[in-house]
């Protein structure tokens, strides 16, 4: 439970991973060799068209009728607008009328405007999501990017690698870094958090 940031280099598999996480939660399935409690999911796929999202879901074995609501690229701004403007209040009101176990926002840069290097801007934009996650007893996952790519395993700093202000990582209850060497299969996951072992 709580506010989580999943970050990595572009095209490293962040969206595939979070979609797989959403599938596991919506079915009460398994992710990272751990069984998860079943619950409803809201997935804001802000970089995906309906066609691309449908193709990814088909490859992952999604079936009809699972408890997952989707909002795709373009529909989000029509529905809510940017979260750092009046969209956050609309989102909070909507979520309070639901019972989501997992909320995914993929990606932060599509949901929030502003300078990601500004501590105050990022704190103001993201703190309500952390409060919301704890108040509604759910997990809010933000998909974000790393500052640089191609880091060696010994150079990894899960929180420090998150693009922009350190305020983003500081707000997160859990930070997940996805690291993959270009052209090679597989990826490494690094996780740090207030209630998890590194």
């Amino acid at each position: 439970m709580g506010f989580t940031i999943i970050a990595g280099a572009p095209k490293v598999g962040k969206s595939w991973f979070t979609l797989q996480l959403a599938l596991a939660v919506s079915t009460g399935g398994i992710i990272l060799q751990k069984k998860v409690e079943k619950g409803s999911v809201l997935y804001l796929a802000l970089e995906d068209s309906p066609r691309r999202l449908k193709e990814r879901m088909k490859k992952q074995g999604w079936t009809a009728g699972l408890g997952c609501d989707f909002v795709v690229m373009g529909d989000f701004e029509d529905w809510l607008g940017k979260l750092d403007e009046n969209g956050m209040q609309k989102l909070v009101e909507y979520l309070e009328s639901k019972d989501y176990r997992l909320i995914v926002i993929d990606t932060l840069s599509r949901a929030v405007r502003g300078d990601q290097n500004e501590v105050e801007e990022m704190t103001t934009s993201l703190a309500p999501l952390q409060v919301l996650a704890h108040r509604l007893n759910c997990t809010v996952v933000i998909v974000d990017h790393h500052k640089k790519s191609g880091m060696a395993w010994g150079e990894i700093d899960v929180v420090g690698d998150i693009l922009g202000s350190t305020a983003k990582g500081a707000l997160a209850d859990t930070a997940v870094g996805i690291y993959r060497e270009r052209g090679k299969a597989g990826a490494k996951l690094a996780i740090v958090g207030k209630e998890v072992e590194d």
Side-chain angles (χ1 to χ4, degrees), residues 93-145:
E93 288 169 6
Y94 172 77
L95 293 175
E96 286 177 339
S97 69
K98 301 291 183 179
D99 187 26
Y100 290 115
R101 180 160 183 74
L102 173 66
I103 300 152
V104 176
I105 302 173
D106 183 5
T107 64
L108 173 65
S109 59
R110 291 288 180 117
V112 175
R113 286 192 183 114
D115 184 349
Q116 293 198 32
N117 291 307
E118 280 293 322
V119 172
E120 189 173 337
E121 277 188 54
M122 287 301 101
T123 301
T124 300
S125 296
L126 299 180
L129 293 173
Q130 183 191 34
V131 171
L132 184 71
H134 289 278
R135 193 169 81 234
L136 299 180
N137 196 32
C138 67
T139 300
V140 175
V141 172
I142 290 277
V143 178
D144 203 359
H145 293 96

Side-chain angles (χ1 to χ4, degrees), residues 22-77:
L23 176 60
V25 172
S26 64
T27 61
I30 295 172
I31 189 147
L32 300 176
Q33 301 176 344
K34 296 207 185 274
K35 177 99 171 110
V36 295
E37 186 177 328
K38 183 176 180 177
S40 57
V41 177
L42 174 63
Y43 197 104
L44 306 178
L46 307 183
E47 292 188 334
D48 290 326
S49 66
R51 180 191 57 78
R52 181 165 59 185
L53 182 61
K54 187 176 180 180
E55 287 173 1
R56 287 181 173 187
M57 292 171 72
K58 187 176 179 182
K59 287 179 181 177
Q60 288 190 351
W62 284 74
T63 57
L66 297 178
C68 192
D69 298 326
F70 291 92
V71 178
V72 294
M73 176 173 46
D75 294 344
F76 175 72
E77 287 202 34

Side-chain angles (χ1 to χ4, degrees), residues 51 146 166 169:
R51 180 191 57 78
H146 278 162
T166 55

Side-chain angles (χ1 to χ4, degrees), residues 124-191:
T124 300
S125 296
L126 299 180
L129 293 173
Q130 183 191 34
V131 171
L132 184 71
H134 289 278
R135 193 169 81 234
L136 299 180
N137 196 32
C138 67
T139 300
V140 175
V141 172
I142 290 277
V143 178
D144 203 359
H145 293 96
H146 278 162
K147 295 175 182 174
K148 55 188 177 186
S149 61
M151 292 169 279
W153 187 249
E155 300 172 356
I156 287 174
D157 176 356
V158 178
V159 174
D161 292 340
I162 298 170
L163 178 69
S165 167
T166 55
K168 291 161 65 176
L171 279 169
D173 296 301
T174 305
V176 178
I178 300 177
Y179 300 88
R180 182 168 62 91
E181 198 172 334
R182 294 282 177 217
K184 293 197 176 178
K188 292 182 180 180
L189 225 59
I191 303 171

